[in-house]
Structures are given as C-alpha cells and as structure tokens.
Amino acid sequence: MLPKNAVPRLQTVQQHILDRQRTQHPDATGEFSWLLSGITLATKIIADHVRRAGLIDVLGTAGHTNVQGEQVEKLDIIANETIAACLGYRGNVGIMVSEEDDEPRIIKDLDDQARYIVLFDPLDGSSNIDVNVSIGTIFSILQRREDVAAGRVMDHILQPGYQQVAAGYVVYSSSTVMAYTTGDGVHMFTLDPAIGAFRLSREGVTMPESGRIYSMNEAYRRKFPDGIKRYLDWVKSEESGGYTARYIGSLVADFHRTLLKGGVFCYPPTVSAPRGKLRLLYEANPLAFIAEQAGGTATDGRERILDKIPAALHQRTPLVIGSKSEVAKIAEFWQP
Ligand code: AHG
Ligand code: MN
Ligand code: MN
C-alpha cells in the first residue's frame, strides 16, 4: 500500500527526456525533447489510424511501388506523411529520410538551429497491416557534421550508426509501446489511451544474455548461405538443448520480443537478396543502437552494424541481432 499522501509515479516520455537532460546534460536547450515530441505526436496519430483500420479507409495497397520496388500500402503513405508533417515544422530538423521517399526531404539548410537529420521507416511490417498483426515505426536521429558544408547533403546523411544521437521504435500491437535510447540505456513507454500519453513502463531495459528463440524466415532456407543452413540444423538438434522459432514478419515486433525475452533475429543474405533485405539507415542502425544499449549486439555477419559506413540512402544489409551469446552462436556456423 502507498504511504499516506504518496503520489504514484507517472512519467510521460516528455517528462522522462527532460528529467534526464536536466540531470545528465544541464546545458541542454530542450530542443531535442521538442524534436522527440514531434515523433511521439506522429506515432500517436499513426496508432489511432491503426486502431481504427477496417472502419476508416486505411487498408489495402496504394497501387504503386516505392523506390525499392516494394508494394506501397495506404498506411505506409499515411504514416510517412504524418511523420513528415509532425517533424517538418519543428524548426530543428534539417533533413528527413524515409523508406518511402526516393530522395531525402530537405526541410531547411543545416545550421546551428536546424541541426538534426531524422531517418525513419514510417511503417514496418507492411505485409501485416491488413491482418491485424503487429506493425511499427522505427527512427534514427543524427546530427549534422561540423566538418562538412551544409549543402553536402549526402555526407551528412551517410554517417555510420555509431554517430546516432538517438534511436527508437514504436510497436502498434495489443498495446502501443515506444522504446528509445539516447545512448544512456533503453527506456520503454506504453501509450495510455485514456490520456493520450506515453507513460514510462520500463526504465533501463536489458536484453537477456541468451535466449532459446530464433527468428528467421525459414521458408527461404534453400536460398540461405550454407553456414546458416548448418545453424538451422543445429538449433533443431538435441545437442542445442532445444530452441523454439518465432517469426512475425515485422522486424520491429520480432526485435521487441527479442529485446525483452532474448534470442536472435537473423535476416541473412539470400540468393534473391544477396545484400540482405533490411535497410541499414532506418532499420538496422536504430535497432542495433538499441540492442547494444540494452546489452545485446548486432552484426551483418562480418562486422558490427554500427561501424558500417553507408554508401547509399536505401542501402540494404544482412542483420543478425539479439542476445550476445545467440549472435555469437550464429557466427560459429556462418562466417561470410
Ligand atoms: P517494410 O514493411 O518496412 O518494408 O519491412 C518489412 C521487412 C521487415 O519488417 C520484416 O522483418 C521483413 O521485411 C520480412 O521479410 P520476409 O517477408 O522476406 O521474411
Ligand atoms: Mn521495414
Ligand atoms: Mn516500411
């Protein structure tokens, strides 16, 4: 029972960011929390659309493909435009990069004020939209480079993941959950529909060091590298001690489970996608940052995801992400 006059702790994501800034970065101007509040606003609007899917006209395809040749769903566009609208007028975002846009959106010349670059997958797991399976939004935040002229847009965007100043995701599921990091641990919030605010639900989340869950689209087995095939034989063998498989088909939801329960998610190169399917800048990098901040790890089979120097906006990468010992186990079988 709470002591007399005690007030139960209720912390919104905004309060959390401001509190941590106050204690750890007393010189912070607050503009970063202003930027993140643009993201939380956008994801609340998206969550509202997702919740009413079937009642409002958001299901189905938009009738065209994106720059990556993938079918675009109506909700992909709604999510993309919602994020652009919520961030575009914050004053401190110079460039936005989205999975759904061929080219970066230049909002303002990068200067001391407009110094952030936001990269995002507005809606991850598009194939699950129409069937009420978990989907999400993933975002990564970079700062402009001090050593490069403002007009050299691609140089500012193509920074390695270790330069991220923040990253996060939102899963639209049985509840709407947001996780973010600014390099100071991973914190999780649940959207309280009664008040329309994300409330702190877990602070300083840590990923279990191991976990007997593997997450891979095994239907592609014949297209996988031999080492991955050997790993798949091993997980099913008695020698492994027994694993279970979980694959949702929404990276963000598969990652969320991996973060909380441990295990490994792996999307290796395949014969049809020799560089992997997932995108480095707005899928792998932000989740790798979160994984590492929670004590997990992420590689492309060869090197740490966060060390990869990007060469293109929509660059793809193989991804092995999760509990340290499970990622290491895959590396025992597969060394590309
Ligand atoms: P998106 O919907 O943003 O294009 O991403 C889909 C991705 C990812 O969420 C998921 O892990 C993967 O595609 C599933 O791909 P397969 O269907 O090839 O397994
Ligand atoms: Mn995606
Ligand atoms: Mn997407």
Side-chain angles (χ1 to χ4, degrees):
M1 206 162 83
L2 287 169
K4 203 164 168 252
N5 296 330
V7 179
R9 193 167 152 87
L10 188 161
Q11 222 182 356
T12 65
V13 66
Q14 257 63 59
Q15 283 168 342
H16 191 259
I17 294 162
L18 287 170
D19 278 1
R20 289 187 90 93
Q21 278 188 338
R22 215 169 284 133
T23 50
Q24 276 145 41
H25 309 278
D27 52 334
T29 57
E31 59 171 321
F32 182 65
S33 49
W34 175 234
L35 163 61
L36 276 175
S37 74
I39 295 179
T40 53
L41 173 62
T43 56
K44 283 189 247 181
I45 297 171
I46 299 168
D48 176 59
H49 280 86
V50 170
R51 223 180 10 248
R52 289 188 293 145
L55 301 174
I56 53 173
D57 183 28
V58 296
L59 297 180
T61 66
H64 62 273
T65 55
N66 63 16
V67 65
Q68 320 184 41
E70 292 159 349
Q71 185 75 53
V72 177
E73 305 289 321
K74 283 184 194 156
L75 212 50
D76 283 321
I77 299 178
I78 293 168
N80 197 32
E81 294 311 321
T82 301
I83 296 173
C86 291
L87 286 180
Y89 305 99
R90 296 257 141 176
N92 51 11
V93 178
I95 302 172
M96 288 191 287
V97 172
S98 163
E99 180 197 359
E100 300 304 337
D101 295 334
D102 306 3
E103 300 292 334
R105 294 193 197 201
I106 315 294
I107 311 298
K108 284 175 93 179
D109 282 341
L110 290 167
D111 56 21
D112 283 345
Q113 210 218 339
R115 61 165 183 267
Y116 293 108
I117 301 153
V118 184
L119 308 97
F120 52 91
D121 179 352
L123 207 81
D124 177 67
S126 308
S127 69
N128 284 322
I129 296 174
D130 289 358
V131 290
N132 272 60
V133 174
S134 307
I135 48 183
T137 296
I138 311 174
F139 62 90
S140 159
I141 301 176
L142 294 166
Q143 265 186 327
R144 73 175 176 129
R145 282 174 54 177
E146 296 293 338
D147 58 332
V148 168
R152 295 182 62 91
V153 171
M154 290 312 279
D155 289 339
H156 289 282
I157 295 172
L158 299 178
Q159 299 186 53
Y162 66 77
Q163 296 281 23
Q164 293 171 100
V165 292
Y169 65 81
V170 174
V171 190
Y172 312 105
S173 188
S174 45
S175 62
T176 298
V177 171
M178 158 179 266
Y180 87 92
T181 185
T182 53
D184 164 33
V186 178
H187 314 296
M188 236 172 238
F189 301 80
T190 303
L191 182 59
D192 183 340
I195 57 170
F198 282 103
R199 291 171 55 180
L200 184 66
S201 41
R202 292 167 190 251
E203 200 169 33
V205 177
T206 52
M207 190 184 288
E209 162 72 32
S210 63
R212 299 183 161 278
I213 305 174
Y214 72 100
S215 189
M216 233 183 269
N217 191 337
E218 242 184 304
Y220 303 148
R221 183 194 163 98
R222 70 189 164 82
K223 300 181 181 177
F224 284 164
D226 288 342
I228 297 292
K229 288 181 194 163
R230 286 195 294 274
Y231 170 79
L232 288 171
D233 290 339
W234 175 81
V235 286
K236 295 187 196 85
S237 70
E238 251 177 64
E239 190 198 333
S240 77
Y243 273 70
T244 192
R246 290 284 185 275
Y247 190 78
I248 295 166
S250 297
L251 169 67
V252 69
D254 278 313
F255 176 77
H256 185 64
R257 181 200 57 248
T258 307
L259 176 58
L260 294 177
K261 292 201 161 178
V264 63
F265 172 91
C266 174
Y267 205 116
T270 65
V271 173
S272 17
R275 295 200 171 104
K277 177 184 185 190
L278 301 169
R279 276 58 56 107
L280 175 61
L281 291 180
Y282 42 81
E283 290 182 318
N285 268 345
L287 298 187
F289 189 19
I290 292 173
E292 288 197 6
Q293 282 295 313
T297 188
T299 79
D300 67 356
R302 273 181 225 274
E303 63 175 325
R304 179 182 176 227
I305 289 289
L306 296 182
D307 283 337
K308 285 178 74 113
I309 311 288
L313 207 59
H314 298 291
Q315 179 173 335
R316 294 174 191 266
T317 179
L319 178 65
V320 187
I321 190 167
S323 299
K324 269 190 180 148
S325 67
E326 306 301 337
V327 172
K329 194 74 203 177
I330 291 191
E332 283 177 29
F333 291 92
W334 178 53
Q335 296 98 25

